[in-house]
Amino acid sequence: MSPRVPFNVAAGIGLRAPHVSHVRAERPNVAWFEIHSENYYADGGPALAALDDIRRDYPISLHGVGLSLGSTDPLDYFHLRKLKRLIARVSPVLVSEHLCWSGVGGRHLNDLLPLPYTDEALAHVCKRIDEVQDWLGRELLVENVSTYLAFADATIPEWEFVAAVAQRTGCKLLLDVNNIYVNAVNHGFDADEYLAAIPPPAVAEMHLAGFDASGPCLIDTHGAPVSPEVWALFQRAVDRFGPRPTLIEWDTDIPAFATLEREAAIAQTIMNVRHAVAA
Ligand SMILES: [Fe+2]
């Protein structure tokens, strides 16, 4: 087996349940895996046992989908205590969440809902990111989400809002390149203007995934190969930010593991070319 690419310049794969036994049995040459934190909040059981086994051989990144960072409800310390316990168990290389809200009035909506890009929302979400980073005692990455509506009261372009979150809180960014492309098409902005507004030192990870283009707008399904347009945008992102830990995300119609390995290999080749150019 060839040596693994160092995590900080490597393409990784989102670990999903159908592939866990394959990974445990075959120990494929993947640089790192990302898991959804909430899937491992149980007190024990087979999923945690499998994770304990896999983490012995692979760097693991924890990616949360339910913290509801932007909500006006109080921060959920029940959720945060579970996250802190999982961090202690896994010793993850990165811990990330989404720049969104997922519920209000005590109701969880199981979705990544858009924030109004206003000064008030910016101050609110930054305060909560500060609180989470202080309480966890470590740096958090926040991810830009795909959106299908914009608020009439929004006053700040999304890319300025995202950059300001990193600048004000010292958190890092998980830049989802597919989400930037989906939003650029859906809302009619220039994806390159977005990249240009993001300070390179703030970017600690990138995501790549596929979308559905069969309807009136692009839907971020994580159920298809990365599109040629997103590969091209990723190349330009690597040109600007340099190689970063980059994840292939696939969550619906999950394909054979070999398909994910092929997608990761494309991302790795793009970063290697950029790395060679920079060296
Ligand atoms: Fe993502």
Side-chain angles (χ1 to χ4, degrees):
M1 184 163 118
S2 51
R4 258 182 223 148
V5 180
F7 165 75
N8 62 332
V9 293
I13 290 175
L15 183 65
R16 303 295 180 254
H19 299 138
V20 166
S21 359
H22 169 75
V23 170
R24 292 184 76 180
E26 302 299 327
R27 294 323 216 220
N29 188 9
V30 175
W32 59 286
F33 287 108
E34 186 161 278
I35 60 169
H36 286 157
S37 314
E38 290 83 356
N39 291 343
Y40 299 87
Y41 278 4
D43 293 330
L48 265 182
L51 180 59
D52 286 342
D53 175 43
I54 291 170
R55 71 167 284 275
R56 280 198 283 273
D57 280 343
Y58 298 92
I60 300 288
S61 163
L62 299 186
H63 187 49
V65 295
L67 189 53
S68 198
L69 272 174
S71 175
T72 52
D73 281 355
L75 267 176
D76 182 350
Y77 275 85
F78 179 76
H79 187 110
L80 277 171
R81 274 192 293 275
K82 298 262 191 192
L83 177 58
K84 200 171 199 172
R85 188 177 65 165
L86 187 63
I87 290 170
R89 183 172 189 132
V90 173
S91 300
V93 282
L94 298 171
V95 177
S96 57
E97 249 294 345
H98 292 86
L99 194 56
C100 71
W101 59 285
S102 302
V104 72
R107 258 191 90 190
H108 190 78
L109 298 167
N110 201 27
D111 210 336
L112 305 173
L113 300 166
L115 288 167
Y117 298 130
T118 63
D119 288 323
E120 187 183 12
L122 180 60
H124 175 72
V125 77
C126 285
K127 189 162 152 282
R128 287 162 67 92
I129 291 169
D130 285 340
E131 191 177 335
V132 170
Q133 292 191 123
D134 286 349
W135 195 79
L136 291 178
R138 67 177 291 153
E139 185 179 83
L140 188 69
L141 277 60
V142 296
E143 177 179 356
N144 57 299
V145 295
S146 52
T147 61
Y148 308 99
L149 59 80
F151 289 85
D153 290 339
T155 54
I156 308 172
E158 182 189 326
W159 47 95
E160 286 180 19
F161 190 96
V162 170
V165 163
Q167 191 254 322
R168 286 193 193 186
T169 67
C171 78
K172 291 288 191 284
L173 299 176
L174 193 183
L175 215 56
D176 189 312
V177 177
N178 180 61
N179 290 351
I180 293 175
Y181 180 76
V182 163
N183 288 0
V185 171
N186 288 349
H187 300 295
F189 63 70
D190 179 353
D192 289 290
E193 189 180 349
Y194 197 124
L195 294 183
I198 303 297
V203 179
E205 182 184 344
M206 290 194 267
H207 271 179
L208 292 165
F211 55 76
D212 181 296
S214 61
C217 68
L218 302 186
I219 303 287
D220 174 33
T221 54
H222 295 188
V226 177
S227 76
E229 298 87 350
V230 172
W231 281 126
L233 186 61
F234 176 62
Q235 171 69 73
R236 301 200 292 282
V238 173
D239 285 346
R240 173 164 173 75
F241 304 120
R244 289 290 190 273
T246 295
L247 188 84
I248 303 298
E249 291 188 291
W250 206 312
D251 291 291
T252 53
D253 297 327
I254 295 174
F257 193 75
T259 303
L260 302 180
E261 288 178 304
R262 277 197 298 276
E263 294 279 280
I266 298 170
Q268 192 65 62
T269 300
I270 289 171
M271 290 196 286
N272 290 350
V273 167
R274 161 64 187 158
H275 203 49
V277 168

